[in-house]
Amino acid sequence: MAIRVMAVAAPELPEGKIGVGVLSSNDPASLFNACRYAAFLAENEIGFWGESNWVVSRKERRETFLLMHSLKDDLPIFEKLLEKFQPNLLLIGAMSLCLPGAVACAKKAKEMFGDEICVVLGGRHTNETIYTTQDGTIKHHPGSPLRLMAEEHIDQVFDLVVSGEGEYIIASIGEIVGSLDQRKISPAEISNYLQEIPQTPGRWIVGWIDDVKEIHTIEGRGGQFDRNYLPSPVEMFGVSSVFDIFSGRLTAHVFSDSGSGCVYDCAFCSERRSVTGSLIQLDTAADRLFRQLKNTANVIQQDSPSFRASAFVEDSIMLAGSNTALNRLVRLLAEEKLDLLFGGQLTIDQIISKVEIVKNLKSVGFDYLFVGMETLEPKSVGGFSKDIKFSEESWLRRTEKVLEILASLEIQCGLSLLFGLGETHDSRIRLLYQIKKWRESYRILNPVALNWAVQHPLKGNDGGIGYRYTEWGIFSSSWLEAFRDFGEASVLYPLSGQKPPILKEVKEITDFYGELFGIRKNAIMNQKKGEVI
Ligand code: B12
Ligand code: SF4
């Protein structure tokens, strides 16, 4: 086989299980998005991908993927997969907190295969640390994996580092690995054979380090690709998650493919417009999302006929909150009548101003809204871009209004909280008490997700703090325990200008969370059923 590929989402924790109350999934959706075009080439037996270990059913293809959470727990599984597939191409996706995990995975692969494997790193962390400035120069944040290798803060374990859209560039890298395999050239030599690569479509930068530790980069000049022709991840890799909120249905991650970010620009957020760029092809977004929803229903019916289908829309804001696009989605779903429940995200102010649209969405299967409340009073932490109607009513009252609206429409509501923005500890506790009250009044409120703000590199929009991210964000067992019910959280990487979290306070929140909402008890039951919430 010319290409023997494996793809892994690097872990965010050094050890320990992720908390039972943490939003999670079995499917590495980000990697699926990145790898879908290469999988499509394999499925259609095109080029060297037609001579790869992905020329198999999507179920078998899925087995070459691994979503890791804890290095200690998941490394043995990763090692077994390496032994089984003997890859000559390893694709590693990493968020910023996962960088130490990505280095550890790459190191393991290099120990096992040396130059007979090409290790490629991509994903959100590289996107935010290697970027083009307005004058067209390529910049490296102190956390850029290329810069870290050049400055010897990490070992030289990545043969290529990719920033940007993975779809086409991964396909091209695979083609080169396939041709090297045929010519009996080590895949780790790939940087000498990238002459054709600039023509590959998409917004991307590929870089590597040479023998004298100098950084080299190539930027894509192939132009934008048409998102209407992208294959659906669900068709390429299937579905293996069950989100608790969709009562036992299998749940796919779907996406409208209109860019990797948001229309808003909240300062703390990795999805903010000023980092991710403007939305793309929004006029056809509803049709693409509909197609992915339809594919989900079909794939689940084909692969798992004893399950019914559900999906979560991973757009930062579903169809950017565009009335035209949302109405179009309602129309398409009303015509087709899929046996599918789905959920997605809208902001508090959008929900209040789109009650009729939300009602129509409910009539075509929209069953769950995930809302970022974050804090008690946005003004006290410097304000949020999404807090549009701040002059009309308090954030708290508007959030409550959302709960009233969704309860009346019988739509379930998940709420995301974010601490570490500069709020007082007292306001955190007040917020939790408020949520306890809401949970008693509005039975639709589930889950409540806790996060502690992490300073992301944000293409240098990080207040100049310039973290390197080479150390685990949460390192000791007492901190791992205290943050057990949090999604993203760290001790080492507080927002620029904020103090690190205080152990006693975090413990108090975690205990509160478990006791007041009984979430841990329910979640343990869900986990026993192999479900995730
Ligand atoms: C689905 C999702 C998940 C899923 C699946 C994660 C996975 N590894 O696939 C779950 C729920 C498990 C998850 C967990 C986490 N997530 Co998450 N997640 C998302 C979400 C909602 C969608 C991702 C997506 O598909 N986006 C659309 C695609 C097109 O964009 P993309 O992800 O950037 O992928 C493109 C490129 O980055 C590139 N690419 C991606 N991987 C690779 C790999 C290679 C080799 C290459 C070359 C290219 C490449 O190609 C893709 C297609 O163009 C995003 C928010 C969002 N709306 O994007 C957050 C987001 C990516 N997650 C985030 C975080 C922080 C996490 C956690 C660390 C949280 C935690 N619990 O600690 C964990 C990490 C778990 C892990 N081991 O990966 C942050 C990342 C911020 C950052 N700078 O690090 C985001 C941006 C949310 C946010 N606003 O903070 N997540
Ligand atoms: S609205 Fe949400 S996704 Fe968009 S920038 Fe603000 S916090 Fe991030």
Side-chain angles (χ1 to χ4, degrees):
M1 256 180 304
I3 310 174
R4 301 176 305 283
V5 59
M6 251 182 72
V8 60
E12 69 272 25
L13 295 173
E15 60 182 276
K17 299 255 179 286
I18 51 167
V20 284
V22 176
L23 292 171
S24 189
S25 164
N26 291 334
D27 288 320
S30 177
L31 269 183
F32 285 174
N33 276 317
C35 296
R36 60 185 142 162
Y37 183 61
F40 171 84
L41 295 178
E43 189 143 300
N44 291 282
E45 301 194 20
I46 296 169
F48 283 110
W49 283 101
E51 297 172 40
S52 75
N53 60 338
W54 280 0
V55 188
V56 284
S57 68
R58 58 180 158 247
K59 187 165 177 287
E60 286 170 278
R61 195 179 295 136
R62 170 67 177 81
E63 285 164 13
T64 63
F65 282 77
L66 179 65
L67 171 60
M68 296 170 77
H69 288 295
S70 142
L71 184 68
K72 196 169 159 201
D73 291 15
D74 298 335
L75 195 66
I77 306 170
F78 174 62
E79 230 177 302
K80 274 205 186 105
L81 289 180
L82 288 174
E83 270 160 24
K84 179 173 172 188
F85 294 111
Q86 300 280 311
N88 57 1
L89 175 60
L90 175 64
L91 302 166
I92 303 181
M95 326 254 168
S96 293
L97 287 181
C98 308
L99 184 64
V103 173
C105 290
K107 222 176 195 169
K108 178 53 71 186
K110 283 289 175 191
E111 269 164 33
M112 288 172 70
F113 303 110
D115 285 350
E116 295 316 306
I117 190 163
C118 170
V119 179
V120 182
L121 177 70
R124 285 284 176 159
H125 180 70
T126 53
N127 299 358
E128 288 184 32
T129 55
I130 305 170
Y131 52 95
T132 315
T133 55
Q134 278 191 334
D135 64 4
T137 51
I138 292 176
K139 201 144 185 206
H140 292 272
H141 182 275
S144 151
L146 289 169
R147 185 164 161 189
L148 292 171
M149 288 195 288
E151 294 173 355
E152 300 188 347
H153 294 295
I154 60 173
D155 291 340
Q156 202 165 327
V157 284
F158 304 115
D159 296 302
L160 293 180
V161 175
V162 179
S163 165
E165 294 165 329
E167 288 88 346
Y168 284 82
I169 191 69
I170 285 178
S172 293
I173 290 170
E175 285 298 323
I176 300 170
V177 168
S179 97
L180 295 178
D181 186 76
Q182 215 175 46
R183 290 182 279 162
K184 308 254 177 293
I185 299 170
S186 294
E189 301 272 314
I190 191 162
S191 56
N192 298 319
Y193 299 89
L194 296 174
Q195 293 78 2
E196 310 277 304
I197 222 162
Q199 303 318 318
T200 303
R203 296 175 296 184
W204 54 262
I205 298 166
V206 166
W208 67 96
I209 299 290
D210 66 17
D211 294 340
V212 292
K213 299 213 183 283
E214 203 170 300
I215 298 176
H216 299 264
T217 47
I218 298 176
E219 200 173 356
R221 290 197 297 271
Q224 260 308 323
F225 49 82
D226 186 341
R227 278 145 211 274
N228 294 316
Y229 294 106
L230 282 172
S232 275
V234 68
E235 282 198 314
M236 296 300 118
F237 308 107
V239 184
S240 50
S241 284
V242 176
F243 285 19
D244 183 52
I245 35 153
F246 295 120
S247 47
R249 289 172 178 244
L250 278 172
T251 313
H253 296 262
V254 293
F255 193 46
S256 74
D257 284 320
S258 28
S260 62
C262 186
V263 275
Y264 292 112
D265 205 31
C266 305
F268 59 84
C269 182
S270 251
E271 294 162 62
R272 62 184 291 193
R273 187 184 57 221
S274 56
V275 170
T276 50
S278 49
L279 293 169
I280 303 166
Q281 293 187 271
L282 190 58
D283 55 334
T284 42
D287 294 71
R288 286 191 298 276
L289 182 56
F290 171 70
R291 183 161 60 91
Q292 290 209 11
L293 291 169
K294 192 172 166 181
N295 291 153
T296 299
N298 290 342
V299 164
I300 291 174
Q301 197 179 35
Q302 277 168 29
D303 294 0
S304 315
S306 57
F307 280 89
R308 296 172 80 191
S310 63
F312 188 78
V313 181
E314 298 293 0
D315 295 12
S316 302
I317 291 175
M318 191 163 66
L319 295 170
S322 148
N323 289 352
T324 314
L326 290 166
N327 283 329
R328 168 102 185 128
L329 181 68
V330 170
R331 237 185 348 267
L332 291 167
L333 285 165
E335 280 164 18
E336 197 84 16
K337 296 197 173 39
L338 306 173
D339 175 14
L340 177 117
L341 295 179
F342 69 108
Q345 306 191 63
L346 291 170
T347 67
I348 285 168
D349 290 336
Q350 284 173 337
I351 298 165
I352 293 170
S353 64
K354 293 179 200 303
V355 178
E356 203 50 34
I357 294 178
V358 176
K359 188 171 160 196
N360 293 339
L361 279 165
K362 168 73 184 178
S363 71
V364 293
F366 189 69
D367 202 43
Y368 171 60
L369 243 167
F370 192 64
V371 181
M373 180 190 182
E374 328 297 4
T375 195
L376 205 55
E377 293 165 34
K379 244 191 278 163
S380 71
V381 296
F384 301 151
S385 162
K386 64 181 166 185
D387 179 13
I388 301 293
K389 301 200 170 162
F390 58 87
S391 57
E392 292 181 13
E393 266 176 310
S394 73
W395 184 243
L396 196 71
R397 176 64 199 124
R398 278 175 286 151
T399 310
E400 189 161 68
K401 232 179 190 172
V402 163
L403 293 172
E404 284 164 13
I405 292 167
L406 298 183
S408 74
L409 296 174
E410 294 179 21
I411 294 175
Q412 302 172 80
C413 180
L415 215 54
S416 174
L417 308 184
L418 184 64
F419 300 134
L421 295 169
E423 72 290 336
T424 61
H425 186 58
D426 174 59
S427 83
R428 292 171 201 144
I429 300 296
R430 276 190 287 133
L431 176 55
L432 291 175
Y433 267 119
Q434 179 62 63
I435 283 168
K436 179 180 186 277
K437 270 200 214 152
W438 282 342
R439 270 175 65 87
E440 287 158 6
S441 326
Y442 305 102
R443 300 187 62 89
I444 51 156
L445 184 51
N446 180 49
V448 175
L450 298 178
N451 298 279
W452 199 280
V454 169
Q455 179 64 61
H456 296 141
L458 304 177
K459 296 188 173 170
N461 291 302
D462 62 352
I465 201 144
Y467 294 130
R468 291 200 179 105
Y469 304 93
T470 50
E471 305 294 330
W472 292 106
I474 310 174
F475 42 82
S476 70
S477 50
S478 47
W479 272 112
L480 285 164
E481 173 60 16
F483 273 136
R484 69 184 175 233
D485 286 329
F486 280 69
E488 196 186 32
S490 91
V491 186
L492 282 194
Y493 307 114
L495 287 190
S496 177
Q498 298 304 326
K499 293 205 170 71
I502 295 169
L503 188 61
K504 191 170 148 276
E505 293 180 352
V506 176
K507 272 185 176 160
E508 194 183 341
I509 292 168
T510 302
D511 290 347
F512 230 117
Y513 181 78
E515 280 167 31
L516 293 185
F517 313 132
I519 281 171
R520 182 150 324 113
K521 201 163 141 237
N522 296 340
I524 288 166
M525 282 158 58
N526 292 330
Q527 277 220 334
K528 280 196 184 139
K529 286 188 277 169
E531 298 174 352
V532 278
I533 65 168

